[in-house]
Amino acid sequence: MFWKLLSVVSNSSSPIVVVLSGSMEPAFQRGDILFLWNRFRQNKVGDVVVYEIVGKQIPIVHRVLREHHSLIKQLLLTKGDNNPVDDLGLYNYNQLYLNKDEDLLGTVFGYFPFLGYITILITENQYFKYALLGFMAITTLLGNE
Ligand SMILES: *[C@@H]1O[C@H](CO)[C@@H](O)[C@H](O)[C@H]1NC(C)=O
């Protein structure tokens, strides 16, 4: 419900994302939570955007390196701050640019450091999940006394 509302307000199918890789260090670290807004009519060089290539279900957080625009559409070339080369190799075969309307989930307008690390640890690490559940169970038991 909350997610749906946020999604409509921000016009993004995924208004909150967690950074999963180190490709944007030092600006963003693995585990940072990013808030997206997808109602900007155009992006500027230097904006950090999240995109998802059609056919590849992986959201990528990178910075706009170059842009071309006409009245009706904007094309963007992106690159991770920490990557040696631009994202051309990540796009679909024969795709030279991102299409703002089709590929972008949104532009980063705010972030919360580190909190998303908990979700990364839970999804990537079974032991951490059980440890966390155990910890929560214990604190609940102690809290009830
Ligand atoms: C964003 O806005 C466009 C145009 O108004 C609309 O077609 C699209 O469904 C919206 N997307 C989301 C995720 O709300």
Side-chain angles (χ1 to χ4, degrees), residues 116-134:
Y117 226 95
I118 294 170
T119 57
I120 294 179
L121 285 171
I122 290 172
T123 48
E124 290 183 0
N125 190 325
Q126 291 289 326
Y127 298 112
F128 180 81
K129 179 158 59 184
Y130 296 131
L132 184 70
L133 287 174

Side-chain angles (χ1 to χ4, degrees), residues 2-17 34-40 50-52 59 101 103-109:
F2 176 66
W3 185 260
K4 178 90 188 128
L5 183 72
L6 217 55
S7 167
V8 170
V9 171
S10 66
N11 191 235
S12 171
S13 59
S14 183
I16 300 176
V17 295
L34 307 180
F35 303 101
L36 307 185
W37 187 253
N38 203 27
R39 292 188 183 275
F40 297 119
V50 180
Y51 64 89
E52 201 171 60
D101 294 332
D103 298 316
L104 248 61
L105 289 179
T107 305
V108 175
F109 76 94

